[in-house]
Amino acid sequence: MSGAAKGAQRALSAGKRWTSLRVRLIIVFGLVALTAAVSASGIAYWLNREAVLKRTQDAALGDFKQEMQNRAAALPLRPTEEELRRTAELMAVGGGGYSVVLLGERDAGKPIVGVSDADRFTLSDVPPSLRAAVDEEQELTSGNRHSYHVFWLRTTLRGKPYLVGGTRIIGGGPTGYMLKSLEPERQDLNSLGWSLGVATLLALLGSALLAQVAATTVLKPVHRLGEAARRLGEGKLDTRLRVSGTDELAELARTFNDAAESLQKKVADMSAREESSRRFVADMSHELRTPMTALTAVTEVLEEEQDGLDPMVAPAVSLVISETRRLNTLVENLMEVTRFDAGTARLVLDDVDVADQVTACIDARAWLDAVELDAERGTMARLDPRRLDVILANLIGNALKHGGSPVRVSVRTTGDDLIVRVRDHGPGIPEDVLPHVFDRFYKASASRPRSEGSGLGLSIAMENALIHGGDITAANSPDGDGAVFTLRLPRDGSAVAAGDDAGVDGPARSGTGDGGRGRSGRGNGGRGNGGPGDEGQGSDERDAGA
């Protein structure tokens, strides 16, 4: 096997593994678990994040508002910068953990600023939007009793998260801003995110294990069903599944058992009917041999005396002789077919010079003038010579009867195979007839159901080829002139013969089939090499079994 073929095979195997039901179940379970875990983790993270930030934010803003009321509101209307700074420091150390900026006026239009820690928080760190919201005086309504409120926002300063809030004293006084670091909360939330990620991974692994268990639980009965179906397909019709439980798989096993039992009964009935039919044909053919022997002897006598018969009786005698021989051929062919159907046909191998065998077949039937042979002497093969003669007689006789002269027979070898081609120069075979030429009793023309042959010749030829481990194909010549039958046989049939368990082929006469004239042939056909044969005229009807 080439590297490309091996690669393609590996790719096909990998594709089958990835498309197996077990893998698909695991993938589906994993996707469902991943979706559920990610959704649950996301929701949990978002809820915890909001809860943590809101708790920190409410505590810091509440404390800042209280400090503004207690300390900033106690400052004079025009405080000094030192007073603002001291008050901001007192507010910052009050326990809220934030920095403070207080903004007041020394005189009208002259602002002053006091900060608790100039290194951490200054007025420039306050977003302009927050300052605008804090400085805007609100309209007093029934739902709003204060002109100023506490405003806040979350922002990032120097790469870290902070909460910035602000408000001012109602009735006059400084404006205060606070800065609360949210770094501890971010670290807590990061830890929570890692925990949820690990939980999601564990859930994914757990779902894969559950999927494996579920797949095993589901696929084990399916695997048993597949094995049972395979055994059933191999002919083991007594195969049954053990049924346990009441679920869908148990119902499927029960249905399989019912179907297998019904199939076994039908096959048994068909086998019995087939055996009965085969026995009937065999018995009928055997019983016909005795009267056929007597009829054949009578026809031989009539044939010897045919020239001296009354001219009014001679045509009838000629018809009786012809039909008797045809009936004899049919009986012989039926017996041969019965052996194949019963499986008792066996090979009797011998080393054969194929060229000599073809020459002997043609010479025995007086076809030398009508057949061209292209074969090299010394082409040896280990075959059953009697069966090879039957095949050649049927193929060449069929070509002479339904094709056109000259008939050309060529013998070639290809590797371990023997190739014999029989070509005629007739009208060829209709395309709709080609698939049926080896069928028993098949007629190419329904308007001419009777032919001179038995209708079994090509079928017997095919059976003899198959028992050798070969076959026969039929086709029209590529140039449109005639038909070509190709016989392919192994040059050494020992391996096929060794596979036969038992049985001996019964007596059969060489040349059984619809051949041509024998050497002693007179009138409408003669006997060739101990086997009856028919001499046919060329016609447009091709008897698929002739």
Side-chain angles (χ1 to χ4, degrees):
M1 184 181 294
S2 65
K6 291 182 179 178
Q9 186 175 6
R10 286 195 297 268
L12 181 61
S13 300
K16 289 182 178 179
R17 288 196 299 270
W18 282 108
T19 57
S20 66
L21 185 56
R22 181 184 300 274
V23 173
R24 282 184 285 173
L25 278 174
I26 293 175
I27 291 176
V28 169
F29 267 77
L31 290 176
V32 171
L34 182 63
T35 302
V38 169
S39 300
S41 299
I43 293 173
Y45 180 81
W46 181 80
L47 292 177
N48 279 275
R49 177 179 181 276
E50 291 300 315
V52 169
L53 293 178
K54 189 174 187 304
R55 182 173 62 251
T56 301
Q57 171 185 300
D58 290 346
L61 293 177
D63 185 77
F64 173 68
K65 182 179 179 181
Q66 188 65 39
E67 288 293 325
M68 286 290 292
Q69 292 175 353
N70 294 338
R71 298 185 184 277
L75 290 173
L77 188 61
R78 303 291 182 184
T80 65
E81 182 176 354
E82 181 63 22
E83 291 175 334
L84 289 177
R85 182 184 62 78
R86 190 181 308 111
T87 302
E89 291 176 349
L90 292 175
M91 292 174 62
V93 299
Y98 49 78
S99 300
V100 178
V101 172
L102 294 179
L103 177 62
E105 289 185 347
R106 183 174 52 240
D107 292 314
K110 296 180 179 180
I112 56 175
V113 178
V115 299
S116 62
D117 188 351
D119 295 331
R120 294 185 58 192
F121 185 43
T122 63
L123 187 61
S124 61
D125 295 328
V126 180
S129 58
L130 180 63
R131 293 184 61 181
V134 170
D135 291 338
E136 183 179 359
E137 185 176 359
Q138 305 293 321
E139 183 180 356
L140 298 178
T141 62
S142 58
N144 181 29
R145 296 179 298 171
H146 304 288
S147 56
Y148 296 99
H149 298 275
V150 177
F151 292 91
W152 60 271
L153 59 80
R154 297 174 192 146
T155 185
T156 301
L157 297 176
R158 295 173 288 278
K160 294 184 178 181
Y162 288 93
L163 172 69
V164 182
T167 188
R168 66 182 301 171
I169 302 300
I170 301 175
T175 300
Y177 298 97
M178 55 84 66
L179 179 71
K180 170 69 175 176
S181 175
L182 298 178
E183 182 65 20
E185 286 72 19
R186 183 171 72 174
Q187 293 177 357
D188 292 342
L189 291 176
N190 288 341
S191 299
L192 176 63
W194 277 105
S195 300
L196 293 176
V198 172
T200 299
L201 180 60
L202 293 177
L204 186 60
L205 294 177
S207 68
L209 294 177
L210 290 176
Q212 179 69 17
V213 173
T216 302
T217 304
V218 174
L219 295 181
K220 190 174 182 180
V222 174
H223 178 70
R224 288 200 299 265
L225 178 62
E227 287 294 319
R230 182 182 59 80
R231 292 196 299 269
L232 194 66
E234 293 173 351
K236 301 176 183 178
L237 300 181
D238 58 343
T239 301
R240 298 294 184 273
L241 289 172
R242 181 171 54 86
V243 180
S244 59
T246 58
D247 56 5
E248 290 80 359
L249 292 174
E251 183 63 26
L252 180 60
R254 198 173 292 111
T255 303
F256 175 85
N257 290 341
D258 295 341
E261 184 176 0
S262 177
L263 179 62
Q264 185 178 20
K265 290 181 179 179
K266 290 182 179 179
V267 170
D269 293 342
M270 292 176 62
S271 299
R273 288 195 295 269
E274 183 180 0
E275 180 63 26
S276 177
S277 300
R278 188 183 300 118
R279 190 182 304 112
F280 170 76
V281 173
D283 294 343
M284 180 189 66
S285 302
H286 186 270
E287 292 299 326
L288 284 174
R289 295 190 70 178
T290 300
M292 284 306 305
T293 301
L295 286 175
T296 301
V298 172
T299 55
E300 288 178 353
V301 173
L302 289 175
E303 188 176 9
E304 295 294 334
E305 301 297 333
Q306 189 174 9
D307 293 339
L309 293 176
D310 188 311
M312 298 295 293
V313 180
V317 172
S318 178
L319 179 62
V320 169
I321 293 172
S322 174
E323 292 301 312
T324 300
R325 285 176 177 158
R326 182 171 179 270
L327 181 59
N328 193 18
T329 300
L330 178 60
V331 172
E332 293 293 335
N333 287 344
L334 285 174
M335 294 189 68
E336 185 76 3
V337 169
T338 301
R339 294 187 190 97
F340 285 115
D341 289 345
T344 59
R346 293 293 181 268
L347 293 175
V348 181
L349 299 180
D350 195 4
D351 292 327
V352 176
D353 187 319
V354 181
D356 290 345
Q357 182 76 14
V358 177
T359 302
C361 175
I362 296 172
D363 183 53
R365 292 161 180 84
W367 290 337
L368 289 175
D369 296 337
V371 178
E372 297 178 357
L373 178 59
D374 178 14
E376 294 183 3
R377 293 180 59 84
T379 303
M380 303 301 295
R382 186 166 180 77
L383 304 169
D384 187 327
R386 185 191 66 80
R387 295 189 182 279
L388 178 59
D389 183 80
V390 171
I391 297 172
L392 294 173
N394 279 289
L395 293 182
I396 300 174
N398 188 76
L400 290 171
K401 183 184 300 183
H402 300 295
S405 296
V407 172
R408 181 179 178 85
V409 180
S410 63
V411 179
R412 298 286 186 272
T413 56
T414 303
D416 295 331
D417 291 338
L418 173 68
I419 307 296
V420 179
R421 288 187 175 86
V422 179
R423 175 181 175 177
D424 61 54
H425 289 77
I429 307 174
E431 293 297 329
D432 59 332
V433 176
L434 274 175
H436 306 286
V437 292
F438 297 104
D439 294 350
R440 297 174 183 177
F441 300 109
Y442 180 80
K443 303 293 182 180
S445 175
S447 63
R448 300 177 64 184
R450 182 183 182 277
S451 68
E452 295 174 351
S454 67
L456 293 171
L458 289 181
S459 175
I460 291 175
M462 175 62 82
E463 294 289 353
N464 279 291
L466 292 176
I467 199 174
H468 277 90
D471 60 11
I472 306 175
T473 57
N476 288 312
S477 177
D479 57 10
D481 183 15
V484 179
F485 284 80
T486 303
L487 167 66
R488 183 194 62 81
L489 297 176
R491 297 182 65 180
D492 187 354
S494 302
V496 179
D500 296 340
D501 295 331
V504 178
D505 194 6
R509 290 185 285 181
S510 177
T512 301
D514 306 332
R517 294 178 299 171
R519 285 190 172 185
S520 61
R522 292 182 299 174
N524 192 23
R527 289 171 295 168
N529 196 21
D534 302 331
E535 178 187 6
Q537 304 297 323
S539 71
D540 59 352
E541 178 191 34
R542 188 171 291 270
D543 185 349

